[in-house]
Every structure is written in C-alpha cells, then in structure tokens.
C-alpha cells in the first residue's frame, strides 16, 4: 500500500450505492442483482419545467423569449436534490411553441420523442421553432423548479430516447449515472436524505418527510410554482432490498 501511495495512485473519495432505509444498510451490486431483487412497481411520473436563464441561451435561441426545458422523472422525491439536466451530445432537440389555455409556451425536448411528449402533455397545437444537437445546449443554465438554485445543462452518454423527454433531471445523490456525469463537471452531492429515509431538518419545504411518502407534496409544490406539466402513473421494474422487500 505504501508503494501505491508513494506513486500517487491512491486517493480518498466516495461513491453512491443502493440503500435500504428500512434495513438501515447499503446494498452491494451482488445483492441488487440477486434473482427477485427487481420487481414491478407502480410509481408516479412527472414532467417538470426548468426555466432557462435567458442570458445563458445560445444566440440562435435568444430571439424566442422565455424557454423551458422539459425533464421527466419516475422518482419525484429526487427533485429536491436536482442539480443539473443531462442531455445527449449527439441527440437532436427541438424548441417547440405550444398553444395552451394560458397562452403560448416554448419548450425544449428531444425531437425523436416530440410526438410522445406532446401526447403526454395533451397538447395538439404546437410548432417547431428551432432544432439543434445537444452539444449546442451545453452550458445553458436553468432555474430549479422551486429552489433558488442554478441548474446547468450537462452532456451525458446515459441519455437516450427510449422514453421521457431526452432531458434527464440529474440528482447526483440518487443514481450512479447522475453521480458520474455530475462528477465530470465538478458537481458533488447534497446529502439531503438521512439513513432512515427522512429529509434532513434543514431541507427547505420537505424537512422530516419520508422519501416514500413525499411525492404528493412535491407534486403540489411543482403545481403551485407553475412547473408541473404532466403527472401520471407508470409500472416499471425497480430494485428492492432482498431483506425487507422494500
């Protein structure tokens, strides 16, 4: 070990891993991959708006006025910990103007997923104003939906067009892919959630609430801030603790 240390090949760091609040322990990759660890669950999905800061927009988007990035998640409880939005460098994105009951709104999402996104939002009247690859949006900064926090656009290889909007809300505390891409941009973790699954006492709006029970409150806050675009249920496969079945 001393030889490794002397060659500057050893460093102190940290990573994230699956954790079971009920069991009070982390889960290794071996445990998570045991037969039966992944089970189908029905969760609430959310499409949220992140308002782009006009001064950070690339020049070809500045003429259009206020613009919002659409991010989709199956884990609304992670939105308080959101620190970035990930996009695919080579994926094509569209700026779309949509007619709504409260007037026109301009949204950014994946061109490939545009049809399914508009269907999820129940918007029939829309027009593509501009298109670009994700790499042109790197460095754009948006506002967090309900906190005073800047949310930069990052580029990540994990972003796909299999589902969602092509814009991935990124919480480094709660996903290995999120953690990895955020680390590349110098973004760390916030550690908002305690070992027992409760938000820490200093977490604005949600202090003391359990991550398993907070999604309704988070959705209400999104709605109060006019940042909720859609909310629905989805059945998908999710990792469970083999000890507690949660």
């Amino acid at each position: 070990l001393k030889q490794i240390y002397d060659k500057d090949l050893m460093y102190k760091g940290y990573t994230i891993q699956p954790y079971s609040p009920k069991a009070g322990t982390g889960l290794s990759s071996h445990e998570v991959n045991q037969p039966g660890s992944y089970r189908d669950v029905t969760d609430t999905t959310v499409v949220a708006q992140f308002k782009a800061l006009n001064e950070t927009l690339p020049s070809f988007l500045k003429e259009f006025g206020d613009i919002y990035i659409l991010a989709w998640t199956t884990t609304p409880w992670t939105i308080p910990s959101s620190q970035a939005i990930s996009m695919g460098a080579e994926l094509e994105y569209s700026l779309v103007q949509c007619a709504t009951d409260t007037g026109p709104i301009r949204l950014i999402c994946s061109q490939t997923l545009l049809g399914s996104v508009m269907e999820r939002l129940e918007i029939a009247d829309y027009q593509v104003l501009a298109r670009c690859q994700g790499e042109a949006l790197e460095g754009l900064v948006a506002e967090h939906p309900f906190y005073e926090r800047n949310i930069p656009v990052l580029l990540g290889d994990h972003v796909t067009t299999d589902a969602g909007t092509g814009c991935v809300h990124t919480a480094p505390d709660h996903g290995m892919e999120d953690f990895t891409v955020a680390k590349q941009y110098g973004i760390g973790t916030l550690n908002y959630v305690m070992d027992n699954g409760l938000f820490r006492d200093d977490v604005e709006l949600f202090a003391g609430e359990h991550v398993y029970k907070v999604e309704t409150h988070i959705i209400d806050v999104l709605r109060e801030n006019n940042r909720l675009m859609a909310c629905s249920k989805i059945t998908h496969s999710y990792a469970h603790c083999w000890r507690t079945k949660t």
Side-chain angles (χ1 to χ4, degrees), residues 109-203:
C109 70
S110 160
Q111 171 62 29
T112 301
L113 293 166
L114 179 57
S116 63
V117 170
M118 292 298 108
E119 182 178 354
R120 179 178 288 116
L121 302 185
E122 299 182 351
I123 294 175
D125 185 1
Y126 60 91
Q127 174 188 4
V128 175
L129 301 178
R131 294 181 182 177
C132 68
Q133 287 190 309
E135 61 184 357
L137 300 173
E138 183 183 23
L140 189 159
V141 178
E143 299 173 350
H144 190 280
F146 45 75
Y147 287 154
E148 292 185 6
R149 179 188 304 154
N150 287 343
I151 302 292
V153 170
L154 319 180
L155 300 180
D157 295 336
H158 65 293
V159 183
T160 71
T161 54
D162 294 338
T165 64
C167 308
V168 180
H169 128 71
T170 301
D173 293 72
H174 303 304
M176 180 54 71
E177 291 171 331
D178 291 21
F179 177 83
T180 301
V181 69
K183 186 177 181 180
Q184 293 171 356
Y185 285 82
I187 300 173
T189 55
L190 298 172
N191 300 315
Y192 276 179
V193 181
M194 297 184 291
D195 294 351
N196 57 5
L198 301 180
F199 281 101
R200 295 186 181 278
D201 292 341
D202 59 350
V203 176

Side-chain angles (χ1 to χ4, degrees), residues 32-48:
V32 172
N33 288 316
Q34 287 190 90
S37 290
Y38 277 83
R39 298 191 298 166
D40 285 345
V41 295
T42 300
D43 281 328
T44 301
T45 73
V46 162
V47 179

